């Protein structure tokens, strides 16, 4: 490898958006290089989606066996008290991550895209340098026709509660060497609640501190109520309308309650999970002078930035910061670069919280539709009336549908309950394909499944639900 090479498409970042762009571009015959500083797969595969779901599953299995040992299972199952080998659990989780990241590398190679490990620094809109990647161990200069920015996002650090010591981010929380006796989670959004719930199921005391007046404030209260109920049942202490002030001299977390009183909360660890921000620092992005939308790179419906042949996808391009959105954008950019005519105009992008129970939101909620002046029909079908939910010992929650009143075109779905993440595919498909309430009501749904609640919600909106 010489110290200067050329390519048609250069991707900075090998996360879900970047690696998908590389794979699809390779399939289309576009000469492509993907530069990744750590491991391919980005936050999602390495320190986000995949390892968190693995930890959540392990915690659920441990909690289930613990309930059998306590003699509280209605199934009549009893066992001895379980023991947890945390190192083995983390090793299992790491094995999944390694397999998936290795798979990404293999897929890039299979499709003709070159993966270069190193940190890219932008020279100009058509040139980057990668330190230490040159033939002689020096900087490798890469010239390109198209530059795709897929650098992802970083966790938000609170200036009065910097990371270090007992204050950790989700990255450290996903690879624990020991479990804290008491974990405080700062932030009642989906990341904080997913990890906080997992730690509670592993036997830790957990306190969640949220500045807003309820958990998951981005979702409507009806949808999040079952999650709040489960947290209370599980023994998770939730302090809403409490603002964090910092650490005391003794290491306690200082918070202010709704009445203005200052409290000191002791904990072994404090997990700060207050969101993520676009990763725009550290690679000389400012030299391009791109238009920004807040802290994110501003893009159009083809993921073009304000500079010709410079593109941006995923978290660095702002909300919603979801891996599947980045993947769809990466595929689109590869196709546009290859000469195809594509625009990023999805009818809906599903959002899933892997809390207990799970929460899914696709399209418009009733309040959002009404705010747009749309007259709607909406209905809800409870899992308490669903046989499969009963057999899974989880009847909390519901499926809700939102449709336009005049033509019954479906505008949105919301669900909360056991395994509802698997229903999100049906939800987004129905909206993308322009389905009506009659389409869903008239589709035979297999029995017994949770998916029957989808059909029943549509039937109920039409005035003739069968099981309620």
């Amino acid at each position: 490898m010489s110290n200067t090479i050329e390519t048609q498409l250069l991707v900075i970042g090998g996360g879900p958006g970047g690696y998908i762009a590389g794979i699809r571009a390779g399939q289309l015959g576009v000469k492509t290089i993907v530069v990744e500083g750590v491991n391919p797969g980005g936050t999602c595969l390495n320190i986000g989606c995949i390892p968190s779901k693995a930890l959540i599953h392990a915690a659920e299995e441990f909690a289930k066996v613990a309930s059998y040992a306590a003699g509280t299972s209605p199934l009549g199952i009893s066992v001895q008290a379980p023991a947890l080998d945390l190192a083995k659990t983390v090793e299992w989780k790491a094995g999944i991550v390694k397999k998936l990241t290795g798979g990404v590398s293999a897929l890039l190679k299979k499709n003709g895209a070159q993966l270069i490990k190193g940190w890219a620094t932008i020279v100009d809109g058509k040139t980057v340098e990668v330190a230490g990647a040159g033939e002689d161990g020096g900087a490798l200069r890469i010239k390109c026709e198209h530059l795709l920015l897929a650098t992802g996002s970083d966790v938000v650090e609170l200036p009065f509660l910097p990371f270090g010591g007992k204050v950790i981010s989700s990255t450290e929380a996903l690879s624990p060497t020991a479990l804290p006796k008491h974990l405080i989670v700062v932030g009642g959004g989906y990341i904080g609640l997913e990890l906080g719930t997992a730690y509670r199921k592993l036997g830790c005391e957990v306190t969640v501190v949220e500045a807003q007046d309820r958990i998951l404030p981005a979702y409507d209260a009806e949808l999040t109520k079952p999650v709040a109920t489960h947290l209370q049942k599980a023994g998770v202490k939730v302090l809403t309308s409490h603002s964090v002030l910092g650490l005391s001299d003794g290491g306690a977390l200082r918070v202010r309650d709704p009445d203005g009183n200052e409290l000191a909360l002791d904990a072994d660890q404090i997990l700060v999970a207050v969101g993520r921000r676009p990763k725009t620092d550290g690679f000389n992005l400012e030299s391009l002078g791109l238009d920004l939308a807040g802290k994110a790179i501003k893009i159009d419906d083809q993921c073009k930035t304000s500079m010709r042949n410079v593109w941006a996808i995923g978290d660095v391009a702002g909300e919603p910061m979801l891996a599947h959105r980045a993947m769809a954008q990466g595929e689109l950019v590869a196709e546009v670069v290859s000469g195809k005519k594509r625009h990023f105009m999805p009818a809906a992008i599903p959002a899933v919280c892997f809390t207990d129970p799970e929460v899914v939101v696709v399209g418009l909620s009733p309040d959002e539709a009404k705010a747009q002046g749309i007259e709607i029909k909406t209905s809800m079908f409870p899992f308490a009336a669903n046989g499969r939910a009963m057999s899974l010992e989880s009847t909390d929650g519901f499926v809700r549908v939102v449709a336009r009143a005049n033509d019954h075109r479906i505008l949105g779905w919301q669900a909360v309950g056991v395994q509802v993440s698997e229903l999100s595919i049906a939800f987004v498909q129905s909206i993308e394909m322009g389905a009506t309430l009659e389409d869903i009501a008239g589709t035979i749904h297999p029995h017994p499944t949770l998916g029957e609640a989808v059909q029943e919600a549509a039937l109920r909106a039409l005035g003739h639900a069968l099981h309620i």
Side-chain angles (χ1 to χ4, degrees):
M1 183 185 293
S2 68
N3 284 343
T4 301
I5 57 176
E6 296 184 2
T7 189
Q8 189 174 351
L9 173 64
L10 173 62
V11 184
I12 301 180
Y19 84 71
I20 286 291
I23 290 171
R24 185 63 182 132
Q27 290 174 345
L28 293 165
V30 177
K31 187 178 180 183
T32 303
I33 293 174
V34 178
V35 179
E36 168 56 45
V38 190
N39 293 315
T43 295
C44 177
L45 262 62
N46 290 281
I47 53 172
C49 315
I50 299 301
S52 67
K53 304 316 166 280
L55 187 65
I56 288 168
H57 174 68
E60 286 175 347
E61 292 299 298
F62 182 79
K64 186 186 297 182
V65 178
S67 74
Y68 296 159
T72 58
S73 171
L75 305 181
I77 300 173
S78 61
V79 297
Q80 297 298 313
L84 180 69
D85 185 337
L86 184 62
K88 192 168 184 178
T89 303
V90 172
E91 182 184 359
W92 168 76
K93 182 252 332 176
I96 295 173
V97 170
K98 185 178 180 181
K99 184 175 182 179
L100 288 173
T101 55
V104 168
S105 299
L107 285 168
L108 286 167
K109 184 177 181 179
K110 173 187 173 183
N111 289 285
Q114 183 180 358
L115 177 63
I116 294 176
K117 189 168 183 178
W119 296 101
T121 300
I122 293 172
V123 177
D124 56 44
K126 291 188 178 297
T127 315
V128 306
E129 284 190 350
V130 183
E135 196 172 61
D136 57 0
L140 172 66
R141 180 163 286 215
I142 308 173
K143 293 184 174 295
C144 62
E145 295 176 33
H146 296 269
L147 177 62
L148 174 54
L149 306 172
T151 52
S153 60
D154 287 319
V155 293
V156 172
E157 183 176 28
L158 297 174
F160 47 84
L161 201 62
F163 295 126
K166 66 163 60 177
V167 181
I168 64 171
S169 72
S170 57
T171 301
E172 292 78 32
L174 288 170
S175 296
T177 55
L179 291 174
K181 182 181 179 183
H182 184 193
L183 174 72
I184 293 179
V185 180
V186 177
Y190 76 94
I191 296 174
L193 292 186
E194 285 181 4
L195 291 174
T197 300
Y199 269 69
R200 178 58 188 151
K201 288 181 176 181
L202 291 172
C204 305
E205 294 178 37
V206 176
T207 300
V208 177
V209 179
E210 168 57 46
Q212 301 297 315
D213 59 0
R214 59 185 178 84
I215 59 166
L216 297 173
Y219 304 100
D220 67 69
E222 188 176 30
L223 198 60
T224 60
K225 192 178 296 181
V227 180
T229 299
H230 271 244
L231 288 171
Q232 185 178 18
K233 286 181 179 177
V236 175
K237 188 175 182 180
V238 179
L239 302 177
T240 53
S241 300
H242 281 64
S243 55
V244 173
L245 303 175
L247 291 179
S248 69
D249 292 339
L253 183 69
R254 296 168 49 235
V255 301
R256 180 173 287 123
D257 71 13
D259 298 321
N261 301 312
E262 185 174 321
L263 308 174
L265 307 177
D266 288 315
D268 305 283
Q269 279 189 329
I270 300 168
L271 167 61
V272 178
V274 293
R276 301 187 65 87
R277 60 177 179 81
K279 189 173 184 177
T280 54
D281 299 329
F283 57 102
N284 200 32
L285 175 67
E286 59 276 8
S287 67
L288 299 183
L290 301 179
D291 289 347
L292 300 179
K295 295 184 181 300
I297 298 172
K298 188 176 182 180
I299 58 172
D300 66 8
D301 66 3
Q302 287 189 308
C303 301
K304 293 177 180 176
T305 70
S306 56
M307 179 177 284
R308 185 173 178 272
N309 289 346
V310 176
W311 317 72
I313 59 173
D315 290 6
V316 77
E319 297 287 353
M321 291 188 181
L322 300 167
H324 42 280
R325 170 199 179 229
M327 290 175 169
Q329 289 177 324
E331 183 183 9
L332 176 140
V333 170
E335 295 193 353
V336 174
V337 167
S338 76
K340 295 181 181 292
K341 292 185 177 180
R342 288 281 312 276
H343 293 269
F344 190 72
M345 300 176 66
I349 301 176
V352 182
C353 303
F354 290 86
T355 44
D356 183 10
E358 296 175 349
V359 178
V360 171
V361 174
V362 184
L364 298 179
S365 70
D367 289 343
E368 289 168 339
K370 291 172 185 175
Q372 293 183 23
I374 303 171
E375 189 176 346
I376 61 170
K377 291 178 76 71
T378 183
S379 73
M380 178 182 74
F381 187 83
F383 282 118
N386 177 269
R388 182 59 177 147
M390 292 180 190
S391 71
L392 291 171
E393 303 178 86
S394 186
T395 55
D396 291 342
F398 57 85
V399 172
R400 184 172 66 197
V401 65
V402 181
R404 231 171 12 216
N406 60 359
D407 61 2
H408 296 179
R409 179 69 62 87
I410 293 173
L411 304 175
W413 293 94
Q414 299 83 44
V416 55
V418 62
Q419 298 176 15
V420 292
S421 56
E422 299 301 327
L423 299 180
S424 60
I425 298 93
F427 295 160
V428 73
Q429 239 177 11
S430 70
I431 296 174
E432 195 69 48
M433 298 180 75
T436 63
L437 292 171
E438 288 82 0
D439 292 327
I440 304 303
T443 300
I444 296 175
H445 287 60
H447 172 79
T449 64
L450 297 175
E452 289 177 275
V454 178
Q455 182 184 25
E456 289 282 3
L459 284 167
R460 196 177 189 188
L462 294 169
H464 51 90
L466 298 173
H467 288 90
I468 193 171

